[in-house]
Amino acid sequence: MPVAVYLHLPFCRRLCPFCDFFKKVPRQGDLAKISKLLLSELSATLVRERSFASGPLISVYFGGGTPSLHPPEQIERLLNAVSQVGDVHSVEVTLEANPGTLSFDALSQLRQAGINRLSLGCQSFSDRKLHLLYRDHTANETRETVKNARMAGFTNISMDLIFGLPGESEDEWRNDIDMLLACKPDHVSLYNLEYHEKTPYGRWLTQGVLEPLAEDFEAELYLLTHDTLEREGYEHYEVSNFARDGFRSVHNQVYWEGKPYLGIGPSAHSFDGVARRFANVADLHDYERRVTAGESPVEREWLNSEREQWEEWISVRLRRKEGIDWADCHDTWGGMRARGLWAAATALPVHLREVTESVFRLSPEGWFVENEVLVNLYEKV
Ligand code: SF4
């Protein structure tokens, strides 16, 4: 079956206090060790999970953590190992990178190894915001990395920006967008700062150390970004993602379209494209122990109930600009459910959605309050 492969490389130079991904600061030898463990896990998994091994391959994604901390040779070995699933040289292969972690030579090596898309975690061009986020790079390093990546032959560069930090003004955010546009990325991922419970930011919020922005103002910044980037030729094709023509993220669309993906590495998740999901252990020692002993690192495996599948089917489609197609909904879930969904959609405030006979989609205003919209819909469908 067609499958996307995700490889989780969990090490970061320092830990950003807002981040809730599984990550660690590496000790001597950790980078080489984890890349070998991922190689072992991948080979063993492709034997154990035969349906994921037959391909064709849809895309490859090196996420983390900060995969760009790894020497290019380690990334190349991992990518070559993914060739067991399908031809890595004919699909989108993304590497997440942080500014200041890759020299021109390293970028050239990665490009030659088959990485053809760079996802750059620049987050902001404001010194104040970079400091507040505990980032260990500067705006100049971001510009330098983009310039070097272009010279090294990268024709597909995505950049991440984060908004909604305490004390953020409209001018500060406008400046971030202007600086981003000056870098001419092909794709932009936009993040609204979240205060995850188990992160330092979550604790600082509870303790009153951080004062969040008003939600209305965050919505203004989100809509400002939508208007500005669309005007500059970027299609707002998903809640948090913008792309120039032809540069939508293939890998992320796998998640949004409910296609199968195989996750390798500590904490990585996998999905068979129907109902079965499994998740690797999110603990480095346990991960190492299991993989070294030839055991599966899968800690949890579950089947989504029919109800969960229905809710997920709705939520992933509403994330996308295309929304939900009536015929698709009717054919997949039957007339009663389709009619119920359309009735619930029509009852939503008009500025949040567009509903016609053939399509139901959210407006940018609707996207900003997507979670509330979904809760409302789930109660009715
Ligand atoms: S560099 Fe990225 S993955 Fe690492 S802690 Fe910061 S946000 Fe999280």
Side-chain angles (χ1 to χ4, degrees):
M1 66 183 173
V3 65
V5 175
Y6 172 83
L7 300 112
H8 190 81
L9 294 166
F11 292 110
C12 299
R13 279 200 305 217
R14 74 157 90 148
L15 305 184
C16 309
F18 61 92
C19 174
D20 75 334
F21 296 138
F22 178 72
K23 75 281 176 193
K24 297 276 175 202
V25 174
R27 291 165 311 176
Q28 183 83 25
D30 273 349
L31 296 175
K33 184 158 75 177
I34 196 74
S35 63
K36 280 191 192 139
L37 289 169
L38 261 71
L39 283 172
S40 301
E41 185 204 342
L42 179 61
S43 298
T45 303
L46 293 178
V47 172
R48 200 180 62 241
E49 299 283 346
R50 292 217 169 271
S51 59
F52 286 95
S54 53
L57 187 64
I58 304 173
S59 58
V60 185
Y61 195 100
F62 290 89
T66 311
S68 56
L69 288 185
H70 287 259
E73 305 76 47
Q74 289 175 12
I75 300 293
E76 185 170 10
R77 271 196 291 277
L78 283 164
L79 188 57
N80 288 341
V82 177
S83 302
Q84 296 169 76
V85 180
D87 181 11
V88 296
H89 296 293
S90 61
V91 299
E92 176 189 282
V93 183
T94 303
L95 181 96
E96 285 183 352
N98 275 358
T101 55
L102 289 171
S103 65
F104 170 74
D105 287 347
L107 284 159
S108 301
Q109 268 180 275
L110 287 167
R111 184 66 198 90
Q112 277 164 22
I115 305 294
N116 52 32
R117 183 172 183 270
L118 209 61
S119 174
L120 200 59
C122 56
Q123 312 306 349
S124 177
F125 293 82
S126 144
D127 288 344
R128 187 193 75 89
K129 283 175 68 177
L130 289 172
H131 180 70
L132 203 56
L133 295 168
Y134 284 49
R135 301 293 290 185
D136 64 353
H137 57 84
T138 62
N140 270 342
E141 283 174 316
T142 294
R143 286 186 274 266
E144 196 63 19
T145 304
V146 173
K147 194 179 87 193
N148 284 337
R150 291 291 189 206
M151 286 194 319
F154 280 92
T155 54
N156 190 349
I157 298 178
S158 179
M159 295 173 80
D160 294 352
L161 267 195
I162 192 163
F163 74 101
L165 267 68
E168 185 162 7
S169 66
E170 185 177 319
D171 281 350
E172 193 176 31
W173 180 238
R174 277 186 190 277
N175 189 57
D176 259 348
I177 298 176
D178 289 347
M179 296 289 113
L180 174 100
L181 289 171
C183 291
K184 300 189 186 335
D186 307 291
H187 184 278
V188 178
S189 291
L190 177 70
Y191 296 98
N192 189 356
L193 178 69
E194 288 182 57
Y195 297 84
H196 297 286
E197 206 184 324
K198 290 185 180 145
T199 62
Y201 258 47
R203 283 197 300 281
W204 296 338
L205 179 74
T206 315
Q207 293 161 0
V209 176
L210 292 177
E211 190 180 337
L213 279 193
E215 201 178 316
D216 285 359
F217 184 54
E218 287 187 334
E220 278 176 34
L221 298 183
Y222 180 76
L223 296 175
L224 168 76
T225 316
H226 166 83
D227 291 345
T228 312
L229 291 187
E230 286 259 333
R231 205 170 47 237
E232 292 293 327
Y234 292 86
E235 180 192 27
H236 194 175
Y237 72 100
E238 194 265 352
V239 181
S240 309
N241 288 282
F242 301 79
R244 286 196 189 284
D245 196 17
F247 287 94
R248 287 188 180 199
S249 160
V250 173
H251 188 82
N252 284 340
Q253 287 189 109
V254 165
Y255 301 137
W256 305 325
E257 290 172 5
K259 291 181 180 162
Y261 54 88
L262 178 65
I264 299 293
S267 82
H269 282 57
S270 304
F271 177 49
D272 72 354
V274 185
R276 179 174 165 248
R277 294 180 180 276
F278 48 99
N280 281 358
V281 61
D283 178 287
L284 268 188
H285 293 298
D286 203 7
Y287 176 77
E288 181 182 352
R289 184 192 60 73
R290 288 176 186 231
V291 174
T292 310
E295 295 171 16
S296 164
V298 173
E299 182 186 44
R300 218 157 51 90
E301 177 166 341
W302 67 101
L303 287 176
N304 275 0
S305 68
E306 199 256 1
R307 174 72 200 180
E308 286 166 335
Q309 289 174 46
W310 166 229
E311 290 186 359
E312 189 170 298
W313 191 90
I314 295 171
S315 73
V316 292
R317 276 159 186 77
L318 287 182
R319 291 186 67 87
R320 299 182 312 152
K321 182 182 180 178
E322 287 72 20
I324 297 177
D325 177 72
W326 164 265
D328 187 17
C329 185
H330 188 278
D331 293 350
T332 311
W333 297 100
M336 208 157 86
R337 278 209 158 139
R339 283 190 294 278
L341 179 59
W342 250 246
T346 309
L348 290 169
V350 286
H351 67 287
L352 299 182
R353 50 72 177 173
E354 179 193 337
V355 185
T356 68
E357 279 183 6
S358 58
V359 74
F360 161 34
R361 61 168 72 99
L362 296 183
S363 64
E365 287 93 334
W367 271 341
F368 186 74
V369 290
E370 191 207 7
N371 289 342
E372 289 91 320
V373 168
L374 288 174
V375 169
N376 179 302
L377 289 175
Y378 294 161
E379 281 169 1
K380 296 178 179 161
V381 299

